C-alpha cells in the first residue's frame, strides 16, 4: 500500500492459549467498506493494549466493495494476531458478529465497530468491571458524536427496549462490549439481534453491567445506520420478547390472543343482535359483522404464523447448529502463534 509504513510484528511469539499475559482477549470487529479505518483501529489496539493482554483481532468483512479485504489481508500478512474472515456477500452485522465470535479463541470476547467511533482504550476498564463478578459489560455512549437523525431514533428505541424487556440499560446500541467466552458462544445472533445481545445474555443467566465509554465522531467512511432501521428494531423486539417470555409456554401468549379475539367476536356478534332487535337491521347485511370477522381471522392467522415461524427459525439454527453466514475465505484462522 503506497505511503503506508511497514508494520513489523514483535519477534517474540507464543501460543495464544499459553500466553504469558494475564488475559486472552479476542476482539471481534465486523466491517463493511471501512478501508480507511481498519489499519487505524489495528494501530490503536496495539497502542492501548500492549502486553497487558494476549490479544487477537477478528475482522469480519461483510461484503465490502471498497478494498477493505485487501487492506485486511495486508495487515494479516504482517501480524498473525490479525484474523480475517471474508463473507461471500453482505449478510448483515448480526451474522458477521456471529462469524467473528465463532472464530474467536480468547477467554474473553470483545465486540466493537470498525469505524473508529468506539475506543479500544475502554476495553481495560470494561475488563476490570468484568472482574467484579460480571459475565458481560457493555458500554454507554454518554457523549455521542452523531447527529440527531441517529440519536433521536436511538433514544426512542432504547426507551422501548427498556420498557419491554425490563432491563434498565440506557444504551443498547453501543457495540463495544466484553463478554466471557462461555456466554458469547452460547448466544445465537441473526437477523438484527446484535442490538439485543444484552437481552440474549440475560436470558442465558449472565450477570450484566454497563459503564460509560468514549465515543468519537466518524472521520472516514460512511455510516451504515439510519432511521430506516427503526421498524426492524421494533419487529425484532417483538421476537425477542416472545422468545424470552413465551418460548417454553407459547399457549400463554397464543391462547391470550385467542381469548381476546373471541371476546371481540362475542362483542361484535352481540352488537349485531342488538341492532337487529332495535332497528330491525339484518345481521347478514351489517358491515360491522363482516369487518370484525375478517379482521379477527386475518389478525389471528398473521400473528400465529409469524410467531410460529420465529420458533421454527430458532429451532433450525440451534438444534442443527446452523450458521447464518457463509465464509468465502480467511486469514490466520489457526490457533497457532500469536505475537504478544
Amino acid at each position: 500500500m503506497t505511503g503506508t509504513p511497514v508494520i513489523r510484528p514483535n519477534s517474540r511469539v507464543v501460543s495464544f492459549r499459553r500466553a504469558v499475559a494475564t488475559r486472552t482477549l479476542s476482539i471481534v470487529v465486523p466491517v463493511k467498506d471501512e478501508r480507511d479505518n481498519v489499519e487505524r483501529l489495528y494501530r490503536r489496539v496495539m497502542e492501548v493494549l500492549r502486553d497487558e493482554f494476549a490479544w487477537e483481532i477478528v475482522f469480519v468483512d461483510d461484503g465490502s466493495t471498497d478494498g477493505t479485504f485487501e487492506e485486511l489481508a495486508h495487515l494479516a500478512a504482517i501480524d498473525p494476531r490479525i484474523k480475517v474472515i471474508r463473507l461471500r456477500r453482505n449478510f448483515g452485522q448480526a451474522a458477521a458478529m456471529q462469524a467473528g465470535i465463532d472464530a474467536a479463541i480468547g477467554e474473553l470476547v470483545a465486540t466493537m465497530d470498525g469505524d473508529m467511533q468506539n475506543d479500544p482504550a475502554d476495553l481495560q476498564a470494561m475488563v476490570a468491571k468484568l472482574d467484579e463478578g460480571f459475565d458481560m459489560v457493555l458500554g454507554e455512549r454518554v457523549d455521542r458524536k452523531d447527529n440527531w437523525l441517529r440519536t433521536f431514533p436511538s433514544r426512542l428505541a432504547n426507551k422501548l427496549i427498556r420498557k419491554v424487556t425490563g432491563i434498565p440499560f440506557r444504551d443498547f446500541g453501543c457495540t463495544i462490549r466484553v463478554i466471557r467466552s462461555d456466554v458469547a458462544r452460547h448466544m445465537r445472533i441473526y437477523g438484527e439481534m446484535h442490538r439485543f445481545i444484552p437481552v440474549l445474555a440475560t436470558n442465558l443467566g449472565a450477570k450484566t453491567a454497563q459503564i460509560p465509554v468514549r465515543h468519537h465522531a466518524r472521520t472516514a467512511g460512511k455510516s451504515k445506520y439510519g432511521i430506516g432501521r427503526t421498524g426492524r428494531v421494533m419487529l425484532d423486539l417483538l421476537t425477542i420478547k416472545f422468545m424470552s417470555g413465551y418460548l417454553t409456554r407459547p399457549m400463554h401468549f397464543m391462547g391470550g390472543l385467542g381469548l381476546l379475539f373471541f371476546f371481540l367476536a362475542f362483542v361484535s356478534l352481540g352488537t349485531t343482535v342488538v341492532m337487529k332487535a332495535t332497528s330491525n337491521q339484518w345481521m347478514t347485511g351489517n358491515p360491522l359483522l363482516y369487518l370484525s370477522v375478517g379482521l379477527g381471522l386475518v389478525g389471528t392467522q398473521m400473528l400465529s404464523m409469524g410467531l410460529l415461524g420465529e420458533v421454527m427459525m430458532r429451532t433450525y439454527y440451534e438444534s442443527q447448529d446452523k450458521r447464518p453466514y457463509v465464509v468465502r475465505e480467511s486469514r490466520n484462522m489457526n490457533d497457532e502463534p500469536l505475537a504478544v
Side-chain angles (χ1 to χ4, degrees), residues 15-42:
S15 171
F16 189 66
R17 297 189 185 278
R18 294 178 283 108
V20 295
T22 58
R23 286 289 190 274
T24 54
L25 177 67
S26 296
I27 305 171
V28 175
V29 186
V31 292
K32 183 180 186 299
D33 297 333
E34 297 288 358
R35 179 189 59 189
D36 298 328
N37 286 318
V38 290
E39 183 178 339
R40 296 170 56 213
L41 177 59
Y42 165 64

Side-chain angles (χ1 to χ4, degrees), residues 57-321:
I57 307 179
V58 184
F59 284 105
V60 183
D61 181 9
D62 187 27
S64 297
T65 58
D66 68 339
T68 296
F69 176 74
E70 288 72 21
E71 184 70 15
L72 292 173
H74 165 73
L75 295 175
I78 61 178
D79 193 336
R81 293 174 296 185
I82 305 300
K83 289 183 176 180
V84 180
I85 300 172
R86 188 184 190 185
L87 303 186
R88 188 163 292 276
R89 63 171 176 83
N90 176 231
F91 285 87
Q93 186 176 2
M97 190 171 294
Q98 181 70 67
I101 291 175
D102 290 343
I105 61 174
E107 61 182 291
L108 304 179
V109 177
T111 66
M112 60 189 304
D113 279 339
D115 55 11
M116 292 299 295
Q117 291 194 265
N118 298 139
D119 196 328
D122 290 314
L123 293 174
Q124 295 173 334
M126 299 179 84
V127 171
K129 185 68 175 179
L130 201 75
D131 288 340
E132 295 179 13
F134 294 97
D135 299 300
M136 183 185 72
V137 176
L138 62 150
E140 177 189 354
R141 298 163 292 183
V142 293
D143 185 21
R144 289 189 63 174
K145 305 299 182 182
D146 295 320
N147 59 43
W148 70 272
L149 288 175
R150 290 188 60 184
T151 57
F152 180 70
S154 180
R155 284 198 296 268
L156 292 180
N158 286 322
K159 184 176 181 179
L160 182 62
I161 295 171
R162 285 197 302 271
K163 183 70 173 178
V164 172
T165 64
I167 299 176
F169 295 150
R170 296 175 56 86
D171 188 1
F172 288 88
C174 183
T175 55
I176 186 167
R177 315 173 184 92
V178 177
I179 317 167
R180 298 192 187 277
S181 61
D182 60 322
V183 174
R185 293 188 176 94
H186 277 89
M187 293 190 297
R188 290 293 178 264
I189 309 168
Y190 51 87
E192 298 281 337
M193 292 297 179
H194 55 278
R195 179 179 288 271
F196 301 103
I197 284 179
V199 183
L200 296 175
T202 300
N203 290 342
L204 291 173
K207 187 177 180 182
T208 58
Q210 188 170 56
I211 64 173
V213 296
R214 304 170 181 87
H215 190 252
H216 304 295
R218 177 186 273 273
T219 59
K222 295 181 180 180
S223 174
K224 286 76 179 176
Y225 302 96
I227 195 169
R229 299 165 63 93
T230 304
R232 297 197 297 270
V233 170
M234 295 180 65
L235 294 174
D236 284 329
L237 181 59
L238 174 63
T239 299
I240 203 72
K241 178 63 177 177
F242 175 75
M243 301 304 287
S244 61
Y246 299 100
L247 181 62
T248 58
R249 46 190 179 94
M251 186 52 66
H252 288 201
F253 184 80
M254 303 300 295
L257 286 176
L259 290 176
L260 174 62
F261 281 106
F262 277 126
F263 174 75
L264 294 176
F266 177 79
V267 171
S268 176
L269 179 61
T271 302
T272 55
V273 170
V274 171
M275 293 176 67
K276 174 68 170 65
T278 57
S279 61
N280 202 31
Q281 180 177 352
W282 286 97
M283 295 176 60
T284 55
N286 193 326
L288 289 178
L289 178 61
Y290 293 117
L291 180 63
S292 299
V293 171
L295 290 176
L297 289 174
V298 172
T300 302
Q301 290 176 349
M302 293 299 292
L303 283 173
S304 299
M305 291 176 63
L307 294 175
L308 288 175
E310 291 292 343
V311 174
M312 291 173 64
M313 184 169 65
R314 177 63 66 94
T315 302
Y316 172 78
Y317 279 111
E318 294 191 1
S319 65
Q320 302 182 51
D321 200 26

Side-chain angles (χ1 to χ4, degrees), residues 1-8 39 42-43 71 74-75 78:
M1 184 177 64
T2 305
T4 302
V6 176
I7 306 168
R8 301 190 182 279
E39 183 178 339
Y42 165 64
R43 290 180 176 276
E71 184 70 15
H74 165 73
L75 295 175
I78 61 178

